Amino acid sequence: MSLDVKVIRNGELRVNTSVVYDLDKKQCVIIDPSDANDAQQILDFVDNNNLDVLAVLATHGHFDHVGAVDLFRQKYGCKFFMSSDDLFWLTEQGKNYTMQLNVPDFIVPENIDVDLKTVSDADLPFGIKVIFTPGHTAGGVSFYLEDIKVLISGDTLFFESVGRTDLYGASFDSIKSSIVDKLFLLPDDVRVIPGHGIETTIGHEKAYNPFVR
């Protein structure tokens, strides 16, 4: 199978941007592009492999996961997919934490092209399945590539940890339910690519994650 995932850590908060790509089809999807000022590695990977960017996806609306969205939309003419439940993170000034964290040069997109709440699995490339995993944000999602057993969990599930729930609109009960009732139903050998930090597996987190045991 030619489908694979390239993980590129970028941006002020070192986000794991995932490029899901198929070298045979020369196509890719970019998930959580963090920072337009630190996107060269992503651009090089896409261009050096002559990949057609089919879409940009975001697991949630926090600034560090959408900072390079407009760069890729403008360069490749692709559409931006995110849950509308997180749209206010883009449209309401002062709620995206760029000023609070002193990173004002992050460029947050002003809109989405496609609401993930309105799509079916058949609407996304490569058989990407959307799993709604609120908790870190109300509109948080994870993306599952069943054919290659990869889960891109955003800031929901981390190596032996979970996403922050002390931020605006977050909920520990919701994130725990998202993980236990949805993500932990996946096979134990599923590779988990979180929004930050090192990779893990579903089986490891079921056995060792102290926040959801």
Side-chain angles (χ1 to χ4, degrees):
M1 179 177 293
S2 58
L3 190 64
D4 205 347
V5 182
K6 172 74 171 178
V7 180
I8 300 172
R9 188 170 294 180
N10 67 116
E12 192 81 20
L13 299 186
R14 312 312 294 157
V15 168
N16 291 325
T17 295
S18 295
V19 183
V20 181
Y21 66 98
D22 186 323
L23 288 182
D24 290 343
K25 295 180 178 178
K26 293 294 182 182
Q27 296 174 332
C28 74
V29 166
I30 300 170
I31 300 176
D32 287 352
S34 178
D35 184 356
N37 297 310
D38 188 23
Q40 195 58 52
Q41 275 188 279
I42 307 170
L43 291 166
D44 288 346
F45 182 80
V46 170
D47 293 341
N48 290 343
N49 288 287
N50 297 311
L51 299 174
D52 179 19
V53 180
L54 302 178
V56 178
L57 312 179
T59 57
H60 62 292
H62 284 164
F63 75 92
D64 55 318
H65 290 256
V66 298
V69 165
D70 281 346
L71 170 68
F72 290 106
R73 277 203 291 198
Q74 292 163 11
K75 180 174 175 61
Y76 299 108
C78 54
K79 292 184 177 180
F80 173 39
F81 293 65
M82 192 183 79
S83 170
S84 59
D85 286 340
D86 271 7
L87 184 59
F88 74 91
W89 289 108
L90 310 183
T91 59
E92 296 186 28
Q93 293 298 319
K95 281 205 173 122
N96 59 34
Y97 293 109
T98 54
M99 301 308 294
Q100 295 93 323
L101 295 176
N102 195 30
V103 282
D105 27 342
F106 265 79
I107 302 170
V108 176
E110 296 180 352
N111 55 52
I112 59 177
D113 298 308
V114 182
D115 183 357
L116 288 172
K117 294 171 66 178
T118 69
V119 303
S120 68
D121 292 339
D123 295 322
L124 292 175
F126 309 133
I128 295 173
K129 298 181 185 299
V130 179
I131 304 174
F132 292 93
T133 49
H136 181 62
T137 66
V141 306
S142 299
F143 298 109
Y144 183 44
L145 292 149
E146 185 174 13
D147 288 346
I148 57 173
K149 288 191 171 181
V150 171
L151 178 76
I152 297 166
S153 62
D155 287 2
T156 297
L157 180 63
F158 293 105
F159 173 76
E160 297 184 7
S161 189
V162 301
R164 288 179 62 175
T165 56
D166 59 335
L167 305 174
Y168 181 86
S171 163
F172 178 76
D173 288 342
S174 293
I175 205 169
K176 182 176 180 179
S177 176
S178 291
I179 294 169
V180 173
D181 299 334
K182 295 180 181 179
L183 300 187
F184 280 1
L185 300 182
L186 300 175
D188 284 354
D189 60 345
V190 166
R191 171 190 174 194
V192 178
I193 301 171
H196 308 264
I198 64 174
E199 297 182 15
T200 184
T201 65
I202 290 294
H204 183 90
E205 296 313 309
K206 285 167 69 174
Y208 297 107
N209 194 312
F211 294 92
V212 290
R213 293 178 70 184

